[in-house]
Amino acid sequence: LCLIPVFNAIAKLSGESQNGVYDDVQGYEDNEKNLSKAFEKKDISRCDIIITIEIVENLIFRRIDLAGKIVRQYQGLLDLHGRVQLRFASIYRIFYSGLVAFHCFRATQEQYWLNRGTEAIKDMETWTNECKWNFENKMLLLNTEYYFSIGDFDKATEGYHLSITLARNHRFVCEEAIANELGAYFQLERGRVDLSMCFMKQAIECYQSWGALKKAEILKHTLQNL
């Protein structure tokens, strides 16, 4: 049943039908219901997976306000359990929550979000020391979003390029796509439309390669309006 939220997210990102996915598991199509059932059963691992996927999906589709609400509602509880038993999903929840946090900080200037983002950086630095291949590009992207948030644009400009290069070299195509997209928004906010378009085109190619065709189509429309 932990796979059902994954199927939900894949279908939304790809734009493909979910027909046949739920033939043997009727009633689990709704992630909210899945999460409620998981909490009822005190299945924290499944809660973590569902919440992580919801954060990732809302971030990718730029529903940042909703992603922020999910982070604020559940992150503290899951962090508490994660200190007892770190789960694979927890690492990705912390990474994507950090990206959400820096966006929310830039929008609101609320210290909570800056603290949440910097905590994510500290965690990623710890994991990078243990395995640079898996985590260095993630740490760099979080640091880059931090620099963007505090107005250090030179370091942010360099950071986007470094995180994109590492994600590409380490074959994390989804994270390469996200880093390119965030780089595009960074350049657009600074009034550098041509550079923003270059990042956006690379993001579209990466999302297509990843199979997130629905997301790629959305970015194509965004690109046309730049």
Side-chain angles (χ1 to χ4, degrees), residues 139-178:
M139 181 191 71
L140 279 171
L141 186 55
L142 285 170
N143 272 315
T144 300
E145 286 288 289
Y146 168 76
Y147 292 133
F148 180 14
S149 298
I150 65 170
D152 193 337
F153 299 140
D154 289 339
K155 286 186 178 179
T157 298
E158 181 183 11
Y160 286 114
H161 287 290
L162 288 174
S163 61
I164 288 165
T165 299
L166 273 178
R168 183 186 304 121
N169 291 345
H170 295 179
R171 299 187 293 278
F172 295 124
V173 65
C174 170
E175 291 159 18
E176 183 185 352
I178 291 169

Side-chain angles (χ1 to χ4, degrees), residues 22-157:
Y22 304 113
D23 290 347
D24 299 321
V25 284
Q26 292 298 317
Y28 289 90
E29 301 91 334
D30 188 328
N31 281 350
E32 255 187 65
K33 291 180 181 177
N34 290 336
L35 186 58
S36 294
K37 289 179 183 291
F39 273 119
E40 286 173 11
K41 296 179 179 179
K42 298 182 179 180
D43 186 346
I44 301 301
S45 292
R46 182 144 60 105
C47 291
D48 205 352
I49 291 169
I50 295 168
I51 290 166
T52 299
I53 290 170
E54 286 289 299
I55 292 169
V56 174
E57 181 186 316
N58 283 302
L59 172 67
I60 289 176
F61 282 114
R62 304 301 293 170
R63 300 187 292 258
I64 307 296
D65 287 347
L66 182 53
K69 288 178 182 177
I70 295 169
V71 171
R72 194 186 280 271
Q73 184 173 359
Y74 295 112
Q75 190 84 342
L77 172 65
L78 292 175
D79 282 351
L80 180 63
H81 284 276
R83 292 190 188 99
V84 177
Q85 182 182 5
L86 183 65
R87 291 170 292 274
F88 184 74
S90 304
I91 293 170
Y92 285 90
R93 172 176 46 79
I94 290 167
F95 170 56
Y96 286 102
S97 294
L99 297 180
V100 170
F102 287 124
H103 178 99
C104 290
F105 174 73
R106 291 194 296 271
T108 67
Q109 293 298 298
E110 188 178 346
Q111 188 65 34
Y112 167 85
W113 291 115
L114 187 61
N115 293 344
R116 175 59 64 188
T118 53
E119 286 168 11
I121 290 174
K122 290 176 184 176
D123 287 333
M124 207 57 62
E125 286 174 344
T126 298
W127 297 323
T128 298
N129 289 334
E130 295 176 3
C131 184
K132 289 182 70 174
W133 182 275
N134 284 342
F135 301 114
E136 189 175 17
N137 72 292
K138 300 172 182 63
M139 181 191 71
L140 279 171
L141 186 55
L142 285 170
N143 272 315
T144 300
E145 286 288 289
Y146 168 76
Y147 292 133
F148 180 14
S149 298
I150 65 170
D152 193 337
F153 299 140
D154 289 339
K155 286 186 178 179
T157 298

